[in-house]
Amino acid sequence: MNFRLLTLLFLFAVISTSCVSVQVKDNTVSTITSEIKKPKNIILLIGDGMGLSQVSAAIYYKDGKPNFERFNTIGLSKTSSASDLITDSASGATVFSTGVRTYNGAIGVDKDTIAIPTIIEQLSRRGLATGIISTSSIQHATPASFYAHVKSRRMYEEITEFVPNSGVNFFAGGGLKFFNQRKDGKDLLAAMKAKDYEVSTGQLPQTTTSKNQLILLAEDGMPKMSEGRGDFLLNATKLALEKLSQNEKGFFLMVEGSQIDWGGHDNDADYLIKELLDFDKTLGVALDFAKQNGETLIIVTSDHETGGFTLASVGSDYNKIKPSFSTPGHSATMVPVFAEGPGASLFNGIYENHEIYHKMMALFDK
Ligand code: MG
Ligand code: ZN
């Protein structure tokens, strides 16, 4: 090793140690260089069950260029849970909302069923605005993991009891029946109104209000795209951005394309692709907002892949694709992470799913 190389190595070591290190759980370290500009806002978009073949379907089945191609930073996330090699959507979302790997079925609780503060609860306490949008019910595993703490994802009525005190400023999705047709006879819509929420159950409001908003447009999950859901996800995201961006301290918005996963479970390629294209369209809204806003980081990822989906050839005809499945369940494949905006470079590389939470929280720590 010559002297010049030694000098270079020394300089590199000095530069490296001048970076700000953030110690996080599970003995992993996220290093953020002092030059990284931190975002004021984060939009986390989760395509439930969306692996690389699902994303690839946007290339082959969309007229025009997919919004996925507008991202410059791409990473890969390993998706195992604490209990299983293959995660379900409850532990898969809890790891994003809390940074803690837990057992399949857990909503906002750790391996010992102890509640862990979620990113939304922490940011809400700091005065940031927060929102949750989903094409399932808002009590379904993915959205619930951001505001509720229960030992099993099937406890929909118990999950709903967390909504009035969640502090979340904007909810949109399905799940009305868990508020007003409950086994315990409680009227949780009245509880929401008492907490000064504006409740909408007919259609998506055209404009936002100064009040917190609870928008429930289906008894349980929202309809499929093929059954007339229309531009709900896109328009709800626009509305949420209009509302949350009024907060001077910033905001965190979680948007879920829930039914990409359901198409995978049904091994129904047409269902899956229509849901995926709806999600891609919504990415366009988020990206346009971020581009104009300049202080918003967009992260797009998935909890796991569903269906063992693949874009296989039709026998030896390499000019024809036959979308195929290898399981009615989930698979262990890594899922892509797309990032754009201030702090995006942190999402390069291959890492564990819990790192996504720690990276987001490190970017919110001023
Ligand atoms: Mg989900
Ligand atoms: Zn699933």
Side-chain angles (χ1 to χ4, degrees), residues 44-151:
L44 173 65
L45 297 111
I46 302 175
D48 197 317
M50 186 181 74
L52 195 53
S53 289
Q54 281 84 349
V55 173
S56 307
I59 294 164
Y60 297 105
Y61 296 95
K62 181 172 176 158
D63 283 334
K65 205 171 182 183
N67 285 302
F68 286 105
E69 294 190 40
R70 292 170 61 183
F71 290 87
N72 291 302
T73 301
I74 322 287
L76 290 169
S77 163
K78 303 183 208 175
T79 62
S80 294
S81 72
S83 62
D84 295 87
L85 281 175
I86 300 175
T87 189
D88 82 320
S89 294
S91 57
T94 296
V95 80
F96 293 152
S97 71
T98 68
V100 176
R101 284 172 113 177
T102 184
Y103 59 91
N104 285 5
I107 301 287
V109 297
D110 69 8
K111 281 183 281 189
D112 305 313
T113 71
I114 308 293
I116 320 156
T118 70
I119 184 167
I120 279 197
E121 288 162 338
Q122 295 176 66
L123 296 176
S124 184
R125 235 174 274 138
R126 292 186 203 172
L128 278 80
T130 58
I132 291 176
I133 302 172
S134 175
T135 55
S136 57
S137 68
I138 62 165
Q139 296 88 345
H140 211 261
T142 312
S145 296
F146 284 82
Y147 65 85
H149 306 277
V150 295
K151 64 177 192 290

Side-chain angles (χ1 to χ4, degrees), residues 48 89 261-262 265 304 306 330:
D48 197 317
S89 294
D261 174 68
W262 300 357
H265 283 294
H304 54 75
T306 305
H330 299 171

Side-chain angles (χ1 to χ4, degrees), residues 18-29:
S18 69
C19 297
V20 183
S21 270
V22 184
Q23 189 72 40
V24 293
K25 285 174 192 159
D26 300 331
N27 298 321
T28 52
V29 176

Side-chain angles (χ1 to χ4, degrees), residues 20-313:
V20 183
S21 270
V22 184
Q23 189 72 40
V24 293
K25 285 174 192 159
D26 300 331
N27 298 321
T28 52
V29 176
S30 293
T31 304
I32 301 175
T33 65
S34 48
E35 295 93 70
I36 281 190
K37 195 182 158 208
K38 291 184 173 181
K40 181 174 160 189
N41 317 306
I42 294 184
I43 308 173
L44 173 65
L45 297 111
I46 302 175
D48 197 317
M50 186 181 74
L52 195 53
S53 289
Q54 281 84 349
V55 173
S56 307
I59 294 164
Y60 297 105
Y61 296 95
K62 181 172 176 158
D63 283 334
K65 205 171 182 183
N67 285 302
F68 286 105
E69 294 190 40
R70 292 170 61 183
F71 290 87
N72 291 302
T73 301
I74 322 287
L76 290 169
S77 163
K78 303 183 208 175
T79 62
S80 294
S81 72
S83 62
D84 295 87
L85 281 175
I86 300 175
T87 189
D88 82 320
S89 294
S91 57
T94 296
V95 80
F96 293 152
S97 71
T98 68
V100 176
R101 284 172 113 177
T102 184
Y103 59 91
N104 285 5
I107 301 287
V109 297
D110 69 8
K111 281 183 281 189
D112 305 313
T113 71
I114 308 293
I116 320 156
T118 70
I119 184 167
I120 279 197
E121 288 162 338
Q122 295 176 66
L123 296 176
S124 184
R125 235 174 274 138
R126 292 186 203 172
L128 278 80
T130 58
I132 291 176
I133 302 172
S134 175
T135 55
S136 57
S137 68
I138 62 165
Q139 296 88 345
H140 211 261
T142 312
S145 296
F146 284 82
Y147 65 85
H149 306 277
V150 295
K151 64 177 192 290
S152 163
R153 58 182 291 171
R154 304 282 169 211
M155 299 163 72
Y156 296 119
E157 292 202 351
E158 288 83 350
I159 289 168
T160 313
E161 302 212 29
F162 284 88
V163 180
N165 296 314
S166 63
V168 175
N169 305 103
F170 184 98
F171 280 104
L176 179 60
K177 70 175 184 183
F178 304 113
F179 283 87
N180 63 2
Q181 298 153 57
R182 298 167 57 87
K183 290 188 200 85
D184 61 13
K186 285 185 196 167
D187 180 1
L188 290 184
L189 284 186
M192 294 305 288
K193 286 171 190 159
K195 288 279 177 183
D196 217 28
Y197 275 82
E198 183 184 273
V199 178
S200 313
T201 56
Q203 57 189 8
L204 196 71
Q206 295 285 311
T207 52
T208 183
T209 79
S210 57
K211 282 186 165 188
N212 289 335
Q213 285 177 278
L214 174 69
I215 302 163
L216 299 168
L217 303 185
E219 293 295 334
D220 198 340
M222 291 292 291
K224 298 175 180 180
M225 279 309 283
S226 63
E227 291 169 355
R229 192 170 75 237
D231 279 336
F232 162 77
L233 193 62
L234 181 106
N235 289 332
T237 302
K238 277 188 187 164
L239 192 65
L241 292 173
E242 192 189 317
K243 177 176 182 57
L244 303 179
S245 61
Q246 290 169 16
N247 187 306
E248 284 171 11
K249 290 187 174 170
F251 68 82
F252 175 83
L253 172 64
M254 194 288 291
V255 179
E256 187 202 15
S258 320
Q259 300 192 33
I260 300 167
D261 174 68
W262 300 357
H265 283 294
D266 286 357
N267 285 6
D268 182 338
D270 186 57
Y271 183 7
L272 186 161
I273 291 166
K274 283 196 171 82
E275 295 296 328
L276 191 272
L277 295 182
D278 177 53
F279 186 69
D280 178 78
K281 209 166 155 187
T282 305
L283 297 187
V285 168
L287 284 163
D288 291 347
F289 173 87
K291 196 174 176 185
Q292 211 210 342
N293 174 272
E295 295 180 298
T296 303
L297 170 65
I298 313 280
I299 304 159
V300 183
T301 190
S302 181
D303 44 0
H304 54 75
E305 194 277 339
T306 305
F309 184 60
T310 183
L311 300 172
S313 70

